């Protein structure tokens, strides 16, 4: 079974409009969940992480994500997109089932139109 | 240094040659990971090291791939008899401990091109 599924390979939004990047995961234990961002020709940067504390997690650059156990989802949102948000975003899960390794989704490329 | 350092940043090699990729983790980080990012394939786990424990090699795609970590710090990923399908960006990351609660800090990667 796919451990992390990013439901959209590409998302396009206009500057100033909300961003929603969708992620579903599978886990037999209590997972930790992360979102990483990768700008073109740059390294991976941690945006935010959920580790069994508050279900609504706030990250850098105005991004946040909500852990919904009943829906096995961890969608990433931002109220208002900025041109600098254009990048590839990875949803990531880690738990004992995966030997504490990070397991990456396939990525979602976010395009922001002016 | 302050971050994870990888070298070289770019490597072009001929098919059949061996290559070595180096990773210098954040000082004090006991866990070190190698991932591979191929075009259109996402990130693929290769291997991780935790302190003096035996490494988890479960992600290595073939016996042409090996890695070592000397003195609990610097790591070298070696690919023998390179093939064109080995072309990818090889990413190293380190973490304070191996725990599913911790995020990793990634290096900028080595872009390997096999011609």
């Amino acid at each position: 079974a796919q451990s992390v599924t990013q439901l959209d390979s590409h998302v396009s939004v206009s500057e100033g409009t909300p961003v929603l990047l969708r992620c579903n995961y599978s886990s037999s234990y209590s997972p930790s969940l992360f979102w990483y961002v990768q700008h073109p020709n740059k390294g991976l940067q941690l945006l935010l992480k959920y580790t069994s504390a508050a279900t609504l997690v706030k990250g850098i650059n105005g991004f946040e994500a909500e852990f919904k156990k009943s829906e096995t989802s961890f969608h990433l949102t931002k109220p208002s997109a900025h041109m600098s948000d254009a990048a590839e975003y990875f949803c990531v899960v880690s738990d004992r089932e995966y030997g504490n390794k990070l397991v990456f989704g396939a990525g979602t490329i976010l395009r922001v139109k002016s | 240094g302050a971050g994870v350092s990888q070298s070289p940043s770019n490597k072009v090699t001929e098919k059949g040659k061996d290559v070595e990729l180096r990773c210098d983790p954040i000082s004090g980080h006991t866990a070190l990971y190698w991932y591979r990012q191929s075009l259109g394939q996402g990130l693929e786990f290769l291997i991780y090291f935790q302190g003096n424990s035996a490494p988890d090699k479960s992600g290595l795609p073939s016996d042409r791939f090996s890695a070592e970590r000397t003195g609990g710090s610097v790591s070298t990923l070696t690919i023998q008899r390179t093939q064109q399908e080995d072309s990818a960006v090889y990413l190293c990351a380190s973490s304070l401990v191996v725990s599913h609660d911790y995020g990793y800090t990634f290096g900028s990667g080595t872009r390997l091109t096999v011609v």
Side-chain angles (χ1 to χ4, degrees):
Chain A
Q2 183 71 24
S3 50
V4 183
T5 302
Q6 291 184 241
L7 297 163
D8 306 290
S9 60
H10 293 78
V11 170
S12 182
V13 301
S14 297
E15 190 175 21
T17 64
V19 175
L20 170 63
L21 305 184
R22 298 181 295 164
C23 173
N24 287 101
Y25 68 92
S26 63
S27 171
S28 301
Y29 300 97
S30 297
S32 292
L33 292 153
F34 309 81
W35 277 96
Y36 279 82
V37 61
Q38 187 175 35
H39 287 90
N41 299 314
K42 301 281 188 182
L44 285 157
Q45 181 183 21
L46 179 65
L47 267 183
L48 51 80
K49 66 177 181 179
Y50 164 78
T51 57
S52 75
T55 56
L56 182 62
V57 181
K58 293 188 185 299
I60 61 173
N61 300 334
F63 284 94
E64 61 182 39
E66 186 171 8
F67 174 69
K68 292 187 176 180
K69 186 173 181 178
S70 60
E71 299 176 10
T72 61
S73 70
F74 191 58
H75 301 334
L76 182 70
T77 60
K78 182 174 180 178
S80 177
H82 191 272
M83 296 297 290
S84 61
D85 295 327
E88 187 164 17
Y89 292 79
F90 293 94
C91 181
V92 184
V93 66
S94 179
D95 76 4
R96 286 187 289 145
E97 178 177 359
Y98 307 118
N100 292 321
K101 298 185 285 289
L102 292 187
V103 178
F104 283 74
T108 298
I109 294 173
L110 175 65
R111 179 182 168 220
V112 182
K113 298 175 289 186
S114 58
Chain B
V4 177
S5 178
Q6 291 188 247
S7 61
S9 55
N10 280 283
K11 175 73 176 178
V12 180
T13 190
E14 292 181 354
K15 179 181 172 182
K17 295 282 178 73
D18 297 352
V19 295
E20 285 188 352
L21 312 180
R22 176 189 168 104
C23 172
D24 210 331
I26 291 173
S27 178
H29 278 195
T30 61
L32 185 148
Y33 310 81
W34 284 98
Y35 281 77
R36 176 168 71 174
Q37 187 174 25
S38 305
L39 194 62
Q41 300 263 342
L43 270 87
E44 173 189 14
F45 165 78
L46 297 177
I47 185 171
Y48 88 73
F49 299 87
Q50 165 59 20
N52 295 321
S53 303
D56 178 343
K57 304 179 182 180
S58 59
L60 294 178
S62 78
D63 59 8
R64 296 186 296 104
F65 287 72
S66 63
E68 63 178 22
R69 188 178 185 191
T70 53
S73 181
V74 172
S75 177
T76 303
L77 177 70
T78 301
I79 309 173
Q80 296 177 308
R81 305 181 303 281
T82 51
Q83 305 294 312
Q84 287 184 329
E85 62 263 28
D86 299 335
S87 296
V89 176
Y90 289 82
L91 293 164
C92 176
S94 71
S95 177
L96 194 58
V97 295
V98 170
S99 166
H100 70 274
D101 283 2
Y102 279 81
Y104 306 170
T105 301
F106 280 85
S108 297
T110 294
R111 181 176 297 279
L112 175 66
T113 304
V114 182
V115 298

